[in-house]
Amino acid sequence: MRGIEALVLLSTLSSSVLAAESSRPRGVGPEFAKFYKAADSFTCISNPSIKLDFSRVNDDYCDCPDGSDEPGTAACTYLSALSPPQPVVGAPNTTLALPGFYCKNKGHIPNYISHTYVNDGVCDYDVCCDGSDEWAGVGGVKCEDKCKEIGKEWRRLDEIRQKSARSALKKKTELVNEAQALRAGVELRISSLQVEIKEQEKKVEDLKKKYEEVERSERGKVVKSQGKGSKVTVLAGLAKQRVEELRDALIGLVNKRDELRRTVKELETILSTFKEEYNPNFNDEGVKRAVKSWEDYAAKKDAAAEIDESAEDRDIEEISKPDSETEGINWAEWETEEESDVEALYKFEEYLPASLRDWVHQKLTDLRIMLIENGILADNANSGSESKVVSNARTAYQTLNDDLGIKQSTVGDLTNDLEKDYGPDDIFRALKDTCVSKDSGEYEYELCWLDKTSQKSKRGSGSTGMGNFVRFDKLYVDEEIDAEGKGLGTGERTVLMYENGQHCWNGPNRQTTVVLACAEKDEIWKVVEQEKCMYRMDVGTPAVCENGQRKADSKKDEL
Ligand code: MAN
């Protein structure tokens, strides 16, 4: 408080005026009224050993170390953290007992303003809309009461804020429900997979056994001869092939013959026409000779025509047909798969009584395997050509076993996912894999929930990773909220930490601190690079809204 102003104040103050003004002294809020009830004396609130005459309350002289004797003046502001440091020599270390000067703000919301601003010659309408902080008219300033209009505007904006807060909360509830449904879906998938796995494990076990048995019994079998059946079968096969070759050649020849016949007929027609139409009066010896030759040829041909070739043609046609269409050789009869002599020998088991057959078969198989294992017999399995039964059994077992492996690892992944931190109420489960972006200066920034943050240059040099999500955290912030309700406000906020982004030249790996505040929709409000390659994103989302939460409108409002 400046000296001249203090004098002015002193002259205007008198305790009798103060007492008449109100039931409680100027600047005292209702919650502190009880300390100012006694008519004659006043006890400093935090220092009860100091008792004063009531006339010293609000006399613009600071008597109590906690400032409680000056609720309506700025006399004790040197105790305030906001006032310039000027410790009074020997003054006990204390804190202010009152939160500030109480503005009644009739028509709006009562509020406390720091004593520093009391009678400083400035109307602080944002806190004290009734202008009561400037009651002394310092420097001629007069602050009229604006609570009616300010209160009206505030209520209008507050209604918008409330509406937006309700809608944000509704969205949050939807997100929580969605997250719950997603979790339930994962749980259901796990339990149904577990049932499938249990059944499949049994099937895989059976198929494995079957495959091993088939392989073992195939191993125990005698190696089959390369060709099928006996010499007669082989000969029949060769004969059939030969007959087919000859038949093809015959068909080719008949086709050629028919073509030549057509050509001869054409030439004969030409020559016959020539004979009819030539002029015998032209004494051309060459022409006459040609006509004579043609006549001789035609005479010979007529004589030959008497020989009937039709029977021969029919025979050729019959021979050209495949055996299956005629009564030719029934090759199938000769192509039967016959067992080799060696295999036939092994068939002796079939002549044994049923009770002995299996036992003997098993013993023989074991014996054969023992001989193979000791290098005495060749191993079927190593013969290079796995039998179809073995490969089928192996494929069936492996296919089902591979599928079982996939199911087991899916269950593992899903179980890990259920244990993962998705924030309170699992809410970020509903947002995971969705992204929001913002144009800011030369970059477009992107935030993908619980995934990654990135920065894309508008000049087209690709995207830079600003970190991958690692954990949730908390951060105390003290920020503005703009007229549209965008901003972090004051208090502890949820933080998403994104680390290990792209390496920064001459610096660390990029990282982003994403600070969240309640908003109606997901939106990046601000991105700042606090230090080289260390970014902070202020982001609004319904995911962090809380019931009954009212954002601080400004720092002063919170006094
Ligand atoms: C790019 C951007 C900037 C960063 C520099 C560091 O230009 O990622 O944000 O500061 O690299 O070299």
Side-chain angles (χ1 to χ4, degrees), residues 136-202:
V138 173
V141 72
K142 190 159 169 26
C143 302
E144 54 176 308
D145 185 347
K146 288 192 176 174
C147 282
K148 208 171 156 212
E149 56 195 281
I150 290 176
K152 193 172 165 202
E153 178 62 4
W154 183 90
R155 281 189 292 279
R156 188 184 71 81
L157 292 175
D158 193 51
E159 201 169 305
I160 296 170
R161 277 196 294 269
Q162 302 278 347
K163 214 170 141 196
S164 155
R166 279 196 297 276
S167 143
L169 270 175
K170 200 170 152 237
K171 284 194 185 133
K172 185 194 173 175
T173 312
E174 284 165 13
L175 285 177
V176 171
N177 292 341
E178 201 180 320
Q180 264 172 14
L182 286 171
R183 172 172 267 274
V186 174
E187 284 166 347
L188 200 72
R189 177 105 184 86
I190 290 178
S191 55
S192 79
L193 272 175
Q194 277 165 340
V195 171
E196 278 176 42
I197 284 172
K198 216 163 178 182
E199 285 167 8
Q200 199 159 324
E201 273 171 345
K202 170 118 198 28

Side-chain angles (χ1 to χ4, degrees), residues 442-443 445 455 457 461 464-466 502-507 510 529 531-535:
E442 56 174 306
Y443 299 106
Y445 289 94
Q455 175 193 55
S457 166
S461 58
T464 305
M466 289 162 58
Q502 214 159 304
H503 188 71
C504 184
W505 186 78
N506 243 351
R510 286 174 176 79
E529 190 169 347
E531 279 175 53
K532 196 175 176 189
C533 296
M534 312 273 269
Y535 307 87

Side-chain angles (χ1 to χ4, degrees), residues 354-405:
S355 54
L356 260 184
R357 202 180 297 150
D358 285 352
W359 186 84
V360 170
H361 179 79
Q362 193 54 51
K363 290 291 155 203
L364 274 173
T365 306
D366 289 348
L367 173 68
R368 186 170 165 74
I369 288 168
M370 192 270 281
L371 292 173
I372 289 168
E373 280 167 0
N374 287 291
I376 298 163
L377 270 184
D379 188 354
N380 277 357
N382 295 336
S383 66
S385 57
E386 189 180 58
S387 86
K388 194 105 182 100
V389 261
V390 176
S391 76
N392 283 350
R394 186 169 43 77
T395 310
Y397 157 63
Q398 276 176 353
T399 309
L400 206 67
N401 194 42
D402 289 352
D403 185 62
L404 176 66

Side-chain angles (χ1 to χ4, degrees), residues 52 78 176 224 349:
L52 309 169
Y78 63 87
V176 171
K224 284 183 181 168
E349 286 173 27

Side-chain angles (χ1 to χ4, degrees), residues 30 69 170 214:
D69 65 312
K170 200 170 152 237
V214 169

